[in-house]
């Protein structure tokens, strides 16, 4: 070695061989200087560390300090004077440095196995902390017309990650099964030995904040970019958070380029997330967008029946139908009603009858809307939603854009209050009870086959609840 090439000062060169770009970047950006300091303390001489890829030849293509000549570079197999292999460090010798010590398990860089073990350990750590709910599997998911597409897409993604529908974007209202499908995909991936990471957008944001605060951005990127399947819940909450959007953008690109599967959930489609960056929105639309609608009556009944069977709780069909008719927009609320019914019946030690079911629902607050809402409020809400006047809706007009809102208002009043058919007819221009009954039955049928109408009725219900 020509000592004059380092400024008339004797120096020592070390070469560290790593298996991939990720390890190369992390060591170069965060650990090279600490390692050089430690080696300088051990050898008493100026030290230069060169990091190379495992696939490279013995002589590295690039030194960290580029002003060195090729003749000055040292490899593990050729050790010139004043050059030491990193594996020759004495294990028992402590380095007097304020920098953290490298883990001795990875000291022998002449062996690729230890570095592979390091990579496997990171994947194993992800597997251990994937936060997947054991109850949320494909077998436990009830498939109906409202969620068939989302279920089929999720199953396809789970069976062939990264090959079809990448990314998969699921959206729908609260409590309709989006998180269930996310976890089901995760379970299938873990079962096949893949590294799966499930996070909420809040956790992703917190991880970024902590990475910036504690200067661990490389560890953050290594965590999120070394997975096989990334599952992100409630992605709409990152909208407007510039640093979070920026980091997710790069994470998305990195995983997508490596054909790793990305599954995202939201309460609305990408185009409806108004403050989301356009470049993210366009990427969310690359793969498949599948919506989950509120379940129809038959699906709600099937969910209740399965839940009752799991709890070993016998519930008559008419009570199942009653509960399914009362809760139409939220599966969590649907299951909660069954739990409340079971608790009410067991605590009162009563036989399970329809009267007991009504009492349980009423006493536990599920029917409070009946006493809080009146016919005029519901009619007014429908008129405002469809942007027509109350006078027109309650009058004699039979234009299509008036008749449908009028029938929806009749249906909702019948569902949400104890008002009789005759009283409803009087509110809408003195119509008889048979007209009201026909309107209610028509809307009840249409809701189960017309997704647009079902969404509109749900939106009006939610507006009434908020008021």
């Amino acid at each position: 070695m020509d000592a004059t090439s380092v400024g008339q000062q004797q120096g020592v060169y070390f070469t560290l061989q790593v298996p991939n770009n990720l390890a190369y970047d992390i060591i170069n950006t965060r650990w090279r200087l600490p390692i050089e300091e430690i080696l300088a303390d051990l050898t008493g001489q100026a030290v230069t560390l060169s990091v190379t890829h495992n696939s490279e030849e013995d002589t590295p293509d690039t030194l960290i300090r580029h002003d060195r000549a090729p003749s000055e570079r040292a490899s593990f197999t050729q050790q010139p004077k004043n050059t030491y292999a990193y594996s020759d460090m004495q294990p028992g010798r402590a380095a007097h440095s304020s920098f953290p010590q490298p883990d001795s398990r990875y000291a022998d860089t002449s062996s690729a196995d230890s570095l592979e073990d390091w990579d496997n350990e990171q994947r194993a750590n992800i597997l251990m902390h994937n936060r997947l709910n054991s109850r949320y599997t494909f077998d436990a998911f009830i498939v109906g017309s409202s969620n068939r597409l989302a279920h089929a897409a999720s199953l396809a993604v789970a069976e062939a990650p990264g090959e079809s529908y990448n990314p998969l974007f699921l959206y729908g209202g609260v409590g309709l099964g989006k998180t269930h499908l996310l976890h089901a995909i995760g379970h299938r991936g873990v079962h096949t030995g893949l590294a799966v990471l499930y996070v909420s957008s809040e956790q992703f944001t917190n991880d970024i904040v902590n990475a910036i605060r504690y200067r661990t951005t490389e560890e953050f990127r290594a965590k999120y970019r070394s997975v096989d399947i990334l599952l992100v819940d409630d992605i709409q909450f990152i909208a407007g958070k510039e640093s979070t959007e920026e980091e997710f953008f790069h994470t998305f690109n990195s995983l997508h380029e490596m054909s790793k599967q990305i599954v995202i959930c939201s309460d609305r489609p990408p185009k409806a997330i108004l403050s989301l960056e356009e470049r993210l929105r366009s990427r969310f639309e690359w793969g498949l967008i599948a919506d989950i609608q509120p379940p129809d009556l038959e699906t709600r009944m099937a969910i209740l029946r399965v839940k009752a069977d799991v709890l070993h709780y016998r519930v008559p069909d008419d009570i199942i139908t009653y509960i399914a008719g009362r809760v139409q927009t939220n599966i969590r609320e649907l299951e909660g009603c069954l739990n409340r019914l079971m608790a009410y019946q067991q605590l009162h030690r009563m036989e399970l009858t329809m009267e007991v079911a009504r009492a349980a629902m009423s006493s536990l607050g599920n029917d409070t809307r009946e006493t809080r809402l009146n016919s005029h409020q519901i009619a007014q809400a429908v008129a405002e939603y469809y942007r027509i006047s109350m006078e027109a809706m309650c009058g004699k007009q039979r234009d299509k854009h008036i008749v449908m809102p009028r029938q929806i208002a009749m249906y909702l009043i019948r569902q949400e209050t104890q008002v009789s058919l005759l009283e409803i007819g009087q509110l809408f221009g003195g119509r008889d009870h048979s007209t009201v009954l026909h309107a209610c039955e028509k809307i009840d049928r249409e809701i189960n086959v017309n997704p647009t109408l079902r969404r509109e009725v749900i939106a009006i219900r939610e507006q009434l609840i908020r008021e």
Side-chain angles (χ1 to χ4, degrees):
M1 181 185 67
D2 183 4
T4 60
S5 63
V6 290
Q8 305 299 328
Q9 188 176 24
Q10 194 72 10
V12 183
Y13 298 99
F14 289 84
T15 301
L16 176 62
Q17 199 171 55
V18 296
N20 53 46
N21 289 334
L22 176 62
Y24 177 86
D25 291 339
I26 291 176
I27 292 174
N28 256 344
T29 56
R30 290 192 57 80
W31 294 105
R32 182 175 60 81
L33 292 179
I35 291 172
E36 286 180 345
E37 287 281 342
I38 293 168
L39 294 177
D41 286 343
L42 290 171
T43 62
Q45 301 183 61
V47 170
T48 298
L49 176 67
S50 172
V51 183
T52 70
H53 292 268
N54 191 40
S55 60
E56 296 175 346
E57 299 297 328
D58 288 340
T59 302
D61 292 335
T62 306
L63 283 172
I64 301 304
R65 300 180 183 175
H66 298 283
D67 57 340
R68 308 244 183 339
S71 61
E72 300 169 12
R73 300 170 185 166
S75 69
F76 293 104
T77 55
Q78 297 178 335
Q79 300 178 17
K81 182 180 178 181
N82 295 331
T83 303
Y84 300 87
Y86 189 59
S87 58
D88 288 340
M89 291 176 59
Q90 297 179 17
R93 187 172 180 182
H96 302 288
S97 173
S98 60
F99 291 97
Q101 293 274 357
D103 196 320
S104 61
R105 290 174 297 172
Y106 314 127
D108 185 6
T109 52
S110 62
S111 172
D113 291 341
S114 62
L115 291 166
E116 291 177 2
D117 290 343
W118 176 82
D119 186 55
N120 291 335
E121 182 178 335
Q122 307 311 307
R123 293 169 63 84
N125 186 57
I126 291 173
L127 286 170
M128 288 173 58
H129 301 89
N130 53 39
R131 300 175 60 226
L132 297 176
N133 190 319
S134 59
R135 295 187 299 112
Y136 292 162
T137 64
F138 282 116
D139 291 338
F141 190 83
I142 305 300
V143 182
S145 59
S146 59
N147 57 27
R148 196 177 307 279
L149 173 62
H151 174 266
S154 299
L155 195 57
V157 160
E159 291 176 348
E163 296 182 13
S164 60
Y165 313 137
N166 194 20
L168 174 61
F169 191 100
L170 304 175
Y171 76 92
V174 175
L176 297 182
K178 303 185 301 297
T179 300
H180 189 138
L181 287 176
L182 270 190
H183 285 246
I185 293 170
H187 282 302
R188 187 65 63 89
V190 169
H191 182 71
T192 56
L194 300 178
V196 177
L197 181 60
Y198 166 82
V199 294
S200 64
S201 61
E202 179 185 15
Q203 182 186 346
F204 187 84
T205 301
N206 290 340
D207 284 351
I208 291 174
V209 172
N210 289 332
I212 295 171
R213 178 182 178 185
Y214 298 112
R215 300 180 181 179
T216 57
T217 52
E218 292 303 324
E219 287 85 342
F220 168 85
R221 289 167 183 162
K223 171 185 175 181
Y224 280 92
R225 301 182 190 184
S226 61
V227 300
D228 298 308
I229 302 177
L230 177 62
L231 311 170
V232 185
D233 211 349
D234 292 324
I235 194 67
Q236 72 272 10
F237 292 122
I238 75 168
K241 300 174 182 175
E242 294 181 4
S243 296
T244 304
E245 287 187 302
E246 178 76 18
E247 193 57 52
F248 190 80
F249 171 78
H250 294 299
T251 299
F252 183 102
N253 285 346
S254 176
L255 291 175
H256 197 273
E257 288 170 2
M258 294 186 292
S259 296
K260 305 299 185 182
Q261 183 64 51
I262 305 165
V263 186
I264 304 166
C265 279
S266 173
D267 63 354
R268 67 203 76 168
K271 289 186 181 299
I273 307 177
L274 300 180
S275 54
L276 187 69
E277 287 187 10
E278 183 59 36
R279 59 179 180 172
L280 274 178
R281 182 181 293 110
S282 65
R283 279 162 175 76
F284 291 168
E285 295 173 344
W286 267 354
L288 175 66
I289 300 176
D291 68 326
I292 304 178
Q293 295 295 332
D296 55 28
L297 178 63
E298 291 76 12
T299 304
R300 297 196 301 273
M301 291 173 63
I303 292 170
L304 287 171
R305 180 57 65 197
V306 169
K307 176 74 172 177
D309 291 343
V310 169
L311 296 173
H312 304 291
Y313 186 55
R314 295 187 62 184
V315 185
D317 291 341
D318 59 338
I319 295 179
I320 290 286
T321 304
Y322 169 72
I323 298 174
R326 290 300 307 162
V327 181
Q328 302 180 12
T329 62
N330 191 316
I331 295 173
R332 294 193 192 106
E333 184 181 349
L334 191 68
E335 294 181 348
C337 285
L338 182 62
N339 291 333
R340 291 196 292 268
L341 173 61
M342 183 171 66
Y344 183 90
Q345 184 254 331
Q346 292 177 348
L347 288 172
H348 288 81
R349 301 177 184 274
M350 303 167 66
E351 184 181 352
L352 185 55
T353 63
M354 181 61 74
E355 289 70 25
V356 170
R358 291 182 186 277
M361 299 282 280
S362 177
S363 65
L364 294 173
N366 198 61
D367 287 344
T368 54
R369 286 176 296 176
E370 293 185 356
T371 58
R372 185 162 53 86
L373 295 175
N374 59 52
S375 303
H376 184 79
Q377 286 176 309
I378 295 173
Q380 184 66 44
V382 174
E384 290 176 357
Y385 183 86
Y386 288 103
R387 299 183 179 182
I388 59 177
S389 66
M390 273 288 289
E391 292 74 14
M393 192 170 69
C394 296
K396 300 294 186 182
Q397 285 182 256
R398 297 194 57 81
D399 296 339
K400 185 176 182 180
H401 74 283
I402 299 292
V403 171
M404 181 59 74
R406 181 187 295 145
Q407 292 175 335
I408 291 172
M410 291 178 179
Y411 168 79
L412 286 173
I413 292 171
R414 176 68 170 166
Q415 289 286 318
E416 304 297 333
T417 72
Q418 297 292 338
V419 177
S420 67
L421 296 176
L422 184 60
E423 290 173 308
I424 297 173
Q426 290 299 318
L427 176 64
F428 292 96
R431 289 172 169 81
D432 60 38
H433 73 282
S434 61
T435 302
V436 177
L437 182 60
H438 169 74
C440 293
E441 291 176 346
K442 176 185 176 182
I443 298 301
D444 190 51
R445 288 193 306 270
E446 288 290 323
I447 281 177
N448 291 321
V449 298
N450 188 334
T452 302
L453 177 61
R454 183 164 61 244
R455 283 194 295 268
E456 292 173 353
V457 171
I458 289 169
I460 296 169
R461 284 181 186 274
E462 291 176 347
Q463 180 64 32
L464 288 167
I465 292 171
R466 285 194 294 268
E467 293 176 353

